[in-house]
Amino acid sequence: MPIPSGAPAAAPRVPEAIHRRRWWILAVLMFSLLIVVLDNSILNVAVKTIASPAPTGIGATQSELEWAINSYTLVFAGLLFTAGLLGDRIGRKKVLLAGILVFGVGSALAAFSASPGELITWRALMGFGAAFVMPATLAVLMNVFERDEQPKAIGIWAASVGLGIAIGPITGGLLLEHFWWGSIFLVNVPVVVIALVAMAVLVPDSRDPKPGKVDPAGVALSIVGLVLLVYGIIRGGELADFTDTTVLAAIVGGLLVLAGFVWHEKRSSHPAIDITYFRKPAFSAAVAAIALVFFALMGVTFFSAFYLQSVRGYTALESGLLIVPLAAAQMIFAPRARLVVDRFGARAVCTVGMLLVAAGLASFALFDTGTPVWAMCLVFFVQGTGMAHIMPPVTVAVMQALPREKAGSGSAVNNTFRQVGGALGIAVLGSVLSTVYRGDIEGHLGAVPAGARDVAGESIEATLGVAEKLGPVAGKPLVAAAHDAFISAMHVTALGSAAVALIGALVVGLFLPGRTPASTGAPEAAEAPPTEAPPAKEQKDQKEKLGR
């Protein structure tokens, strides 16, 4: 029997005026996210140019290049907790606008860096701004879409990452061919201006009606712990000796500080991250999958730029075009991942996705100086397909496990594990690459002057730079040895990356929820927002009264 018109009915959580323009809002959020992703993907293509001596680049070493990436990522990851809490507390639109503005200022300053140290500093400022952008975009998304549309919206949100991966290298390649290396950062400025105007006009503000307090001690502990840990790993790669006292001190110190961070969070009355979230197996498995897949992928993305440009001789633009299949796969499959999850369940879909990523990474162990282009494109497409079937389901699992009012905190957790996983992937796998390369190339540096041998062994770019100074005849054997040493190091690193992805497949296979009896695209662990329950209960009571 229908409910009389006078009976209470369940009202939508999202105001009608906002609901009508939700897809326009999503487009603005994607544009904001695109700026952040675009910057990192551009930088991956430009590492070879930045490593070149002035005036082409600024002569950055491999370690400095890693820190140019990691300074951004570590500040980003360290502030995500606070950024999410501030968004929930003072309004997500406010922190989104502030974050984009700071990111734009940092981009302009980075463009005119005169040394690797300046670039690292301004990249850190960009990370500061980005920390307030990414969690806010996902938190706003959760507050403008109803629950049944959230998986679709998150899939499109995740696809924008693929769009950034595609546009970034191509844009970077075009800019590097026609302008100086700083143009890859300066291009962000007009994009930031457009994003600020669009956000101010279209994006609604939202906040937690009962916000928590900021946890400065927790934020400080997380930043210090991560910096010490990653610095120790990078330093170990530089020295090719992980038993060095300074390396061990940094790594052990970082682990102890991070342990103190967890201890503090458990006992704090206003933690930066609520540790109780991790009691849900699906939530823990989802964030672990995010960290592991980006650990594996970011390390490979870092060394693939050197493989394509330094070993294969492709230009920055050509390298960018070769990565398009990875981005295209994400753009094609990520918005449709929810349909596959509806049919087979998050566990099966994410496990297969992880196995595809592992297969793609392992394929790098078969690459050499003559691998055909079609084979490389196929591997990148497989990797992109795997990621497209991992990120949307695990992001839905994280975000729908929490009340809508805590969307900022949930988004911060999601993005923190993603960025920390990526930072550690670059540090660990970059160190493995550097260590193996240094060990292989040392025996071929006999013709290099004694004072330049240490520098020549740091990276393939350094070796090729020394070989060029030796002349085309004397330097030719050293170039061949550098290519062989890098290929060998890449094979070892690729297999290590694939092993990490296999661990991720095991985690999601054991702990993510399977197919639900009445599948709605949401994981089993997802809980209906508490505020939606009373109206539904009132409807049920009305029906029972009418039945009696």
Side-chain angles (χ1 to χ4, degrees):
M1 183 179 294
I3 300 175
S5 58
R13 291 287 309 275
V14 180
E16 181 60 29
I18 295 174
H19 182 73
R20 282 198 303 267
R21 66 175 193 268
R22 64 194 184 282
W23 297 110
W24 287 105
I25 294 171
L26 178 59
V28 175
L29 297 177
M30 287 175 60
F31 192 67
S32 306
L33 179 64
L34 184 63
I35 301 170
V36 177
V37 177
L38 185 76
D39 178 75
N40 274 329
S41 58
I42 285 180
L43 184 58
N44 286 330
V45 174
V47 288
K48 181 180 181 294
T49 304
I50 295 173
S52 301
T56 303
I58 52 177
T61 65
Q62 180 162 322
S63 174
E64 288 168 338
L65 288 172
E66 289 177 1
W67 274 108
I69 296 172
N70 283 333
S71 64
Y72 174 96
T73 306
L74 290 178
V75 173
F76 187 2
L79 291 177
L80 276 170
F81 298 140
T82 301
L85 290 172
L86 283 177
D88 288 344
R89 183 179 182 84
I90 67 175
R92 290 143 193 155
K93 180 176 182 176
K94 294 182 180 68
V95 300
L96 186 57
L97 289 169
I100 284 287
L101 181 60
V102 172
F103 184 86
V105 172
S107 298
L109 293 171
F112 297 99
S113 299
S115 67
E118 287 186 17
L119 178 60
I120 291 169
T121 300
W122 301 132
R123 285 280 297 164
L125 180 62
M126 293 170 66
F128 184 94
F132 291 85
V133 175
M134 187 170 278
T137 60
L138 192 51
V140 170
L141 181 154
M142 298 299 290
N143 279 273
V144 300
F145 283 90
E146 297 294 351
R147 190 177 183 83
D148 60 339
E149 283 189 323
Q150 286 172 0
K152 180 179 180 181
I154 288 174
I156 297 172
W157 179 86
S160 65
V161 175
L163 183 61
I165 293 173
I167 295 176
I170 297 172
T171 304
L174 288 171
L175 290 171
L176 291 173
E177 284 194 356
H178 296 91
F179 304 99
W180 96 113
W181 67 268
S183 62
I184 66 170
F185 298 112
L186 197 61
V187 72
N188 292 336
V189 176
V191 180
V192 163
V193 172
I194 295 171
L196 285 171
V197 174
M199 276 186 252
V201 174
L202 290 172
V203 175
D205 204 0
S206 61
R207 69 185 72 189
D208 184 353
K210 298 179 180 179
K213 297 179 181 179
V214 177
D215 179 21
V219 171
L221 286 171
S222 66
I223 293 174
V224 172
L226 288 169
V227 168
L228 283 174
L229 178 61
V230 177
Y231 172 79
I233 294 169
I234 293 175
R235 185 61 178 164
E238 287 177 335
L239 299 175
D241 181 10
F242 283 88
T243 62
D244 183 84
T245 303
T246 58
V247 173
L248 288 176
I251 292 176
V252 173
L255 291 174
L256 289 175
V257 173
L258 290 175
F261 167 73
V262 174
W263 181 87
H264 168 78
E265 295 303 293
K266 286 183 177 180
R267 288 158 180 77
S268 175
S269 59
H270 50 279
I273 177 174
D274 189 347
I275 303 298
T276 60
Y277 294 159
F278 294 90
R279 293 176 182 173
K280 300 177 180 181
F283 183 91
S284 297
V287 295
I290 291 169
L292 289 170
V293 73
F294 272 87
F295 179 99
L297 194 72
M298 289 302 291
V300 172
T301 302
F302 181 74
F303 72 65
S304 65
F306 287 100
Y307 167 71
L308 294 172
Q309 296 182 50
S310 300
V311 177
R312 300 302 299 271
Y314 294 115
T315 65
L317 176 58
E318 290 169 339
S319 299
L321 291 172
L322 285 172
I323 300 175
V324 166
L326 184 148
Q330 290 194 58
M331 293 170 61
I332 293 168
F333 295 114
R336 297 168 175 80
R338 75 190 191 284
L339 303 176
V340 187
V341 172
D342 287 347
R343 182 167 183 178
F344 300 105
R347 179 190 301 154
V349 172
C350 290
T351 301
V352 172
M354 276 288 190
L355 292 175
L356 287 175
V357 170
L361 296 172
S363 298
F364 274 89
L366 303 175
F367 286 9
D368 55 28
T369 56
T371 302
V373 170
W374 68 263
M376 291 188 287
C377 291
L378 178 61
V379 167
F380 283 129
F381 188 82
V382 168
Q383 284 182 314
T385 301
M387 287 197 67
H389 289 89
I390 297 169
M391 298 313 299
V394 296
T395 302
V396 170
V398 171
M399 297 305 296
Q400 290 196 341
L402 308 177
R404 192 191 295 245
E405 290 74 17
K406 301 296 182 183
S409 300
S411 180
V413 171
N414 176 78
N415 289 297
T416 296
F417 275 82
R418 172 178 174 165
Q419 294 302 317
V420 171
L424 293 177
I426 291 171
V428 173
L429 298 177
S431 297
V432 171
L433 182 75
S434 177
T435 302
V436 177
Y437 178 81
R438 181 186 287 265
D440 286 349
I441 199 64
E442 279 182 350
H444 301 276
L445 299 177
V448 178
R453 287 177 189 172
D454 286 342
V455 175
E458 282 187 359
S459 66
I460 185 172
E461 277 303 305
T463 308
L464 294 177
V466 171
E468 185 177 355
K469 292 179 181 178
L470 292 176
V473 177
K476 187 175 181 180
L478 186 56
V479 171
H483 288 172
D484 291 341
F486 185 86
I487 291 292
S488 176
M490 183 181 75
H491 289 172
V492 173
T493 309
L495 292 175
S497 305
V500 172
L502 288 175
I503 294 172
L506 182 63
V507 169
V508 298
L510 290 175
F511 299 108
L512 273 188
R515 184 182 179 187
T516 56
S519 182
T520 62
E524 288 174 354
E527 297 175 356
T531 50
E532 292 183 2
K537 184 178 184 304
E538 290 172 6
Q539 288 192 36
K540 181 178 179 182
D541 292 343
Q542 287 291 333
K543 290 180 180 179
E544 290 177 353
K545 289 177 182 178
L546 291 170
R548 288 196 294 267

